[in-house]
Amino acid sequence: MTVRVGLIGAGTMGADHARILCTEIPGVSLQYVCDADAARAKHVADACGAADATTDALAMIADRSVDAVLVASPDQTHAPLSRACVEARKPVLCEKPLSQDSKECLDVIAAETKGGKRLVQVGFMRRFDPAYVEMKAALAKGVVGPALMFHCFHRNVSAPSNFTGQMAITNSAPHEFDIARFMLDTDYAEISVFRPEFRDSNKVGAPVFMVLKTVTGQLVNVEINNNAAYGYDVRGELVGEKGSVFLRSPIHSEILVNLQTITTYPTDWRPRFAEAYRLQNSAWLKSIEAGQPVGASAWDGYAATLVAEAGVDSLSKGKPVKLSLAAKPRLY
Ligand code: ISE
């Protein structure tokens, strides 16, 4: 079976998804590339041999030649487009976050629940990353005993110019919120967000430091530093009662010269998580054929957004904020 995919968004991540679909995954045909910028849509469509390019996302979702949709457009479009896919009864892989507004996530969930079928997969690709998969397996086998703490560090070279002060929490941190929740198989009870003194407070993407408590008693700390300068660097350490699991990034070589060891860092997340994206997209397509959902659901997307919202609230109030999820529909 060949799944005909319509891609929405031809920016950094959209173009990378197009490349992954057309060069790394069998059994898929890129039917359409859609972008608000017609020239950009056509450029990516031509580069990947897609059948067509368009600027009309809703018409593309409705088009009978599209079996499934991949949403990689700006954050504020994720929930409305995912909902349109659900209403058209088409599977959708939506980049994170599902929304920056938890009520919008609940609207997507309501539409999915009404149709009685899981159609939304949220692009929390780290769930497919071999390093996190091994960490979860070690925890499940009891190698390090019950989990106590999870340390997360998330560093980008520099924040994009469109980053607002809150986007460290609403755009970058959802990866950490999701992977720690997935790893520990729990939900969050409370979040506190702090910000160090920052030399240039007008600079976008000022760092944040967060401490979360889970409902099962573990502690999670998250550093987001989107202006770390030296490279893209994601670290994680899961501390259990009998040991700890340290996440390793894929490093292909080390240069030993002049009394030092030199390793390089990627400029952004695409090389670091290349395998995770490939495995995620491939699992999504297989899940469409099998009719069995995989990966993060719309509910998981909602859970991450709810924490991010509470994080923004905590930062502005300067105190911890308690979390309370809505009632979970049986579909999830
Ligand atoms: C970006 O949107 C991503 O999804 C990256 O994985 C993340 O590391 C980065 O901080 C985000 O801005």
Side-chain angles (χ1 to χ4, degrees):
M1 172 183 169
T2 295
V3 182
R4 296 165 304 172
V5 173
L7 168 70
I8 307 178
T12 305
M13 241 3 267
D16 206 43
H17 278 300
R19 182 194 57 77
I20 294 167
L21 293 182
C22 68
T23 63
E24 297 193 22
I25 300 179
V28 56
S29 90
L30 191 56
Q31 194 66 20
Y32 268 106
V33 176
C34 172
D35 195 278
D37 177 339
R40 195 160 74 158
K42 184 159 177 357
H43 177 75
V44 171
D46 289 348
C48 293
D52 224 331
T54 179
T55 55
D56 190 339
L58 294 179
M60 192 204 80
I61 292 169
D63 195 298
R64 291 165 61 127
S65 70
V66 169
D67 301 317
V69 178
L70 201 162
V71 175
S73 42
D75 290 4
Q76 68 277 11
T77 65
H78 290 181
L81 291 173
S82 294
R83 199 171 143 188
C85 293
V86 169
E87 284 164 359
R89 314 285 302 142
K90 296 196 179 172
V92 53
L93 171 60
C94 178
E95 265 296 338
K96 46 54 61 181
L98 181 54
S99 171
Q100 295 191 357
D101 176 351
S102 62
K103 287 192 203 69
E104 274 196 344
C105 297
L106 289 172
D107 289 343
V108 176
I109 287 169
E112 215 180 23
T113 310
K114 190 170 164 209
K117 187 172 177 203
R118 268 187 57 187
L119 290 166
V120 180
Q121 182 178 331
V122 178
F124 285 127
M125 78 299 180
R126 290 188 187 185
R127 290 179 178 222
F128 297 88
D129 180 67
Y132 283 108
V133 168
E134 278 186 25
M135 184 184 262
K136 192 157 169 72
L139 184 62
K141 279 193 215 135
V143 180
V144 294
L148 296 172
M149 290 170 278
F150 196 9
H151 305 294
C152 309
F153 301 79
H154 180 138
R155 298 175 186 155
N156 281 275
V157 175
S158 61
S161 55
N162 65 349
F163 244 56
T164 63
Q166 298 181 344
M167 279 174 82
I169 306 172
T170 61
N171 178 284
S172 297
H175 278 302
E176 310 299 332
F177 300 149
D178 180 70
I179 200 67
R181 174 178 171 268
F182 174 66
M183 196 64 64
L184 301 171
D185 198 13
T186 189
D187 277 303
Y188 298 109
E190 187 181 291
I191 180 167
S192 303
V193 181
F194 309 91
R195 185 159 262 171
E197 283 303 318
F198 199 55
R199 251 180 311 128
D200 181 359
S201 53
N202 290 323
K203 194 165 179 184
V204 288
V208 285
F209 189 89
M210 312 182 229
V211 180
L212 298 103
K213 292 182 185 167
T214 69
V215 293
T216 37
Q218 297 95 354
L219 289 178
V220 176
N221 70 283
V222 179
E223 172 203 304
I224 305 284
N225 182 1
N226 283 330
N227 289 303
Y230 69 89
Y232 183 77
D233 190 11
V234 163
R235 302 178 186 197
E237 185 177 8
L238 176 77
V239 181
E241 286 181 18
K242 294 196 294 185
S244 96
V245 191
F246 196 81
L247 203 68
R248 286 260 177 241
S249 295
I251 292 176
H252 304 293
S253 65
E254 288 182 343
I255 299 171
L256 280 63
V257 68
N258 292 337
L259 308 175
Q260 345 165 36
T261 302
I262 302 170
T263 55
T264 50
Y265 287 91
T267 50
D268 71 25
W269 56 90
R270 286 168 296 170
R272 164 63 185 88
F273 287 109
E275 186 64 352
Y277 281 113
R278 191 185 65 74
L279 291 169
Q280 165 192 261
N281 293 8
S282 162
W284 175 57
L285 289 157
K286 285 196 189 122
S287 82
I288 294 170
E289 289 175 35
Q292 284 294 331
V294 292
S297 66
W299 181 260
D300 298 318
Y302 159 69
T305 296
L306 191 79
V307 188
E309 262 176 1
V312 170
D313 199 22
S314 166
L315 183 63
S316 75
K317 291 185 176 142
K319 58 180 193 185
V321 171
K322 299 234 179 286
L323 283 145
S324 161
L325 289 161
K328 189 170 172 177
R330 289 170 70 126
L331 186 63
Y332 309 98

